[in-house]
């Protein structure tokens, strides 16, 4: 792992603080070589208010919020083939993992993922990345 991995992972941590989610703030940074292509954090779609009644109700939040990885992919507005995505505070769920594969991103860097609520989803993501040839790098903290 390079010094660049640490820098971009730290940037993903900063981007995660832009999320208004009171329970889990997630950040994503997509890069090509040493250049930032796109940023994303978890939140509601443009024009949809991040109200506490939506953010504090897990059932409502899961139906309306866009994950950081998807926001970064959507806002990139360019081909992402061969890019790297850096994530904070954990690896992507299986739905975001599928979108990462479909977007052509070939490398994912994340800190160790010990969130029990997402453990099964992380397992599916790991299997999918392995099968699709996406390099998953777990960066030590």
């Amino acid at each position: 792992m390079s010094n660049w991995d640490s820098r971009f992972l730290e940037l993903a941590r900063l981007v995660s603080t832009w999320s208004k989610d009171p329970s889990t703030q997630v950040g994503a940074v997509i890069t090509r070589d040493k250049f930032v292509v796109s940023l994303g954090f978890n939140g509601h779609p443009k024009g949809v208010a991040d109200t506490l009644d939506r953010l504090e109700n897990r059932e409502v939040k899961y139906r309306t919020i866009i994950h950081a990885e998807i926001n970064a992919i959507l806002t990139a507005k360019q081909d992402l083939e061969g890019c790297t995505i850096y994530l904070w505070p954990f690896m992507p769920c299986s739905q975001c993992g599928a979108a990462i594969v479909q977007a052509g991103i070939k490398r994912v860097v994340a800190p160790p993922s010990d969130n029990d609520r997402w453990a099964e989803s992380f397992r599916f993501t790991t299997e999918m990345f392995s099968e699709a040839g996406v390099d998953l790098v777990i960066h030590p903290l």
Side-chain angles (χ1 to χ4, degrees):
M1 283 167 274
S2 72
N3 191 29
W4 287 103
D5 284 345
S6 296
R7 290 177 181 181
F8 287 130
L9 203 53
E10 188 60 35
L11 181 56
R13 184 194 313 227
L14 173 66
V15 171
S16 76
T17 67
W18 302 346
S19 170
K20 292 183 173 96
D21 189 326
S23 65
T24 307
Q25 296 179 313
V26 181
V29 176
I30 299 175
T31 65
R32 179 175 282 113
D33 301 318
K34 297 175 185 168
F35 299 95
V36 173
V37 171
S38 185
L39 306 172
F41 54 91
N42 57 318
H44 285 102
K46 287 189 281 187
V48 177
D50 287 314
T51 60
L52 284 180
D53 63 313
R54 289 177 177 151
L55 291 169
E56 291 179 346
N57 181 326
R58 185 162 276 151
E59 186 177 322
V60 171
K61 180 174 68 173
Y62 283 171
R63 292 179 184 272
T64 59
I65 208 157
I66 299 176
H67 288 189
E69 301 90 330
I70 302 301
N71 267 328
I73 290 168
L74 290 172
T75 60
K77 300 199 185 316
Q78 62 180 282
D79 181 21
L80 300 176
E81 189 70 39
C83 284
T84 296
I85 188 167
Y86 294 85
L87 303 170
W88 187 268
F90 39 66
M91 66 183 287
C93 70
S94 58
Q95 290 296 308
C96 289
I100 287 167
V101 170
Q102 195 70 7
I105 294 170
K106 292 297 180 191
R107 188 166 178 264
V108 176
V109 180
S113 302
D114 61 357
N115 187 316
D116 290 339
R117 190 171 350 123
W118 292 95
E120 183 179 25
S121 188
F122 293 158
R123 184 177 55 75
F124 283 115
T125 299
T126 301
E127 291 173 9
M128 194 172 3
F129 284 173
S130 177
E131 187 173 336
V134 174
D135 186 22
L136 175 61
V137 177
I138 302 302
H139 193 286
L141 298 176

